[in-house]
Amino acid sequence: SHFARVILSTDVVSQLGVRYLVDVVGYTHCAVIYLNDNFGNSHLRSFVDAAVQSNLTVESVPFPPRPSQEDLRIAIESIAATQIRCVFAIVTVANHEKILEEAFRQNIVGPDYFWLMSNNRLWVSGDTYERGSALDLAVQGVGQFHHPVLDNEDFLRAIWDGLDDDTLDYFTSILPETDEFSINQTKVRPFAYDTIATIGLAACNITNGADFFDGDELAEKIIGNTSFRGSSGPVVINPATGTRFVNSVTFGIEFVTRNEELSSEDTSVLEAVLSTVFKPNEDGTGSQTIIKEPFIYFDGTNN
């Protein structure tokens, strides 16, 4: 059997997350709160492996799937007990708000704390909360991943807008929508586009002089010969793992803040601001760190 994917693995996300925490922000210790299931445990292992390579000391605290309020209270209490000010949260859309609310109750978000969420773009500009609510206050200055950061978003949007209904129905039939995933999400489309390009280029490489091919031949071409400039960055597959190399996607860190111009006395309108970008080289063998906007923390400062 063969396996390959263009979307990022937890190994890649963890390596870039650790790189940000150590090289950009300068932390030496990090507490990790993580969902205790297959996804969460795999992500934790990836994060710890990356942390060891960067001399980042990690203390981890699990919480169960479908946690009760008491489960979250205990988990956040354990995070507080570490006295570590940097928290990496391996969460889902089903529980990220509940965790932040409990952290707010226990005073471990806000001044002197930094939270980085493992998920890609949990908040987007235009999201709203009741002004002054626990969530409104807790989310200010929270960091989140943004990948891929697109140089060609207008081009990709034009392609997607040109797809007919039958094609979109086909996509959703093989990729059913969930709370975590939708083919209509702008964060998903670049990977879908690059996946199709990867398969197409591999097929063209095989059929040059051949009448047909089988699945093994296609997989070998994908894993061993994929290298092109995709919408999400240079698509280069690691033949040892079947997943993308760490420096083969344009990866960003955003901070969440209140947009005062759009907010009112009753409603807080959020803004997700791209702060740091890891931009890969053309061949995907390395990347440069670009600070686009200083990160603004809970108290409105940059440090």
Side-chain angles (χ1 to χ4, degrees):
S1 63
H2 301 277
F3 173 80
R5 62 180 175 184
V6 171
I7 202 163
L8 299 189
S9 67
T10 56
D11 284 348
V12 171
V13 172
S14 294
Q15 288 176 55
L16 292 170
V18 167
R19 177 178 166 184
Y20 177 77
L21 292 175
V22 174
D23 295 344
V24 178
V25 191
Y27 283 107
T28 58
H29 292 72
C30 180
V32 179
I33 183 168
Y34 69 97
L35 179 61
N36 190 11
D37 65 1
N38 289 337
F39 162 75
N41 283 288
S42 173
H43 205 327
L44 176 68
R45 286 193 297 271
S46 298
F47 187 85
V48 171
D49 289 346
V52 168
Q53 298 299 316
S54 297
N55 296 315
L56 179 68
T57 300
V58 173
E59 294 192 35
S60 59
V61 174
F63 67 92
R66 299 180 182 177
S68 66
Q69 192 59 49
E70 180 65 8
D71 292 329
L72 295 180
R73 186 192 65 78
I74 292 171
I76 294 299
E77 211 170 61
S78 298
I79 291 289
T82 68
Q83 298 185 338
I84 296 174
R85 303 289 177 163
C86 170
V87 182
F88 184 70
I90 300 173
V91 296
T92 67
V93 295
N95 48 51
H96 69 290
E97 291 181 327
K98 296 175 184 177
I99 286 170
L100 274 183
E101 280 187 305
E102 182 58 37
F104 181 80
R105 292 188 192 98
Q106 297 194 33
N107 296 315
I108 62 166
V109 291
D112 301 324
Y113 284 92
F114 175 65
W115 282 67
L116 179 61
M117 315 302 279
S118 68
N119 295 59
N120 188 20
R121 310 202 76 186
L122 286 169
W123 295 274
V124 295
S125 294
D127 286 348
T128 60
Y129 287 130
E130 179 185 351
R131 188 167 187 134
S133 65
L135 274 173
D136 174 39
L137 298 175
V139 76
Q140 304 300 321
V142 166
Q144 64 178 3
F145 294 147
H146 176 166
H147 56 81
V149 178
L150 300 178
D151 293 328
N152 50 3
E153 190 166 356
D154 291 340
F155 164 75
L156 191 62
R157 185 183 296 111
I159 290 178
W160 214 263
D161 290 344
L163 296 178
D164 57 43
D165 291 340
D166 288 342
T167 302
L168 290 173
D169 288 344
Y170 173 72
F171 267 116
T172 55
S173 72
I174 59 175
L175 295 169
E177 293 195 13
T178 67
D179 289 340
E180 296 281 351
F181 181 92
S182 168
I183 200 66
N184 291 313
Q185 293 171 323
T186 55
K187 66 184 181 182
V188 173
R189 292 177 183 179
F191 294 114
Y193 178 89
D194 287 348
T195 298
I196 294 168
T198 298
I199 296 170
L201 289 170
C204 288
N205 287 334
I206 299 171
T207 54
N208 183 19
D211 294 328
F212 63 90
F213 57 87
D214 60 24
D216 287 341
E217 291 175 299
L218 182 64
E220 288 171 5
K221 286 293 184 182
I222 289 174
I223 295 173
N225 296 91
T226 296
S227 180
F228 69 96
R229 184 72 187 183
S231 65
S232 60
V235 181
V236 185
I237 305 295
N238 184 344
T241 63
T243 58
R244 290 178 75 157
F245 281 105
V246 66
N247 291 314
S248 70
V249 68
T250 307
F251 189 92
I253 304 291
E254 295 179 328
F255 63 86
V256 182
T257 188
R258 182 186 298 121
N259 185 321
E260 292 292 356
E261 290 185 3
L262 298 179
S263 298
S264 66
E265 292 183 2
D266 302 319
T267 303
S268 179
V269 179
L270 302 182
E271 184 175 6
V273 181
L274 184 61
S275 175
T276 300
V277 173
F278 298 130
K279 189 173 181 61
N281 303 335
E282 286 297 321
D283 59 2
T285 58
S287 65
Q288 57 180 317
T289 303
I290 302 170
I291 307 298
K292 298 184 73 69
E293 294 286 344
F295 197 104
I296 297 178
Y297 297 94
F298 178 89
D299 60 0
T301 67
N302 301 128
N303 50 46

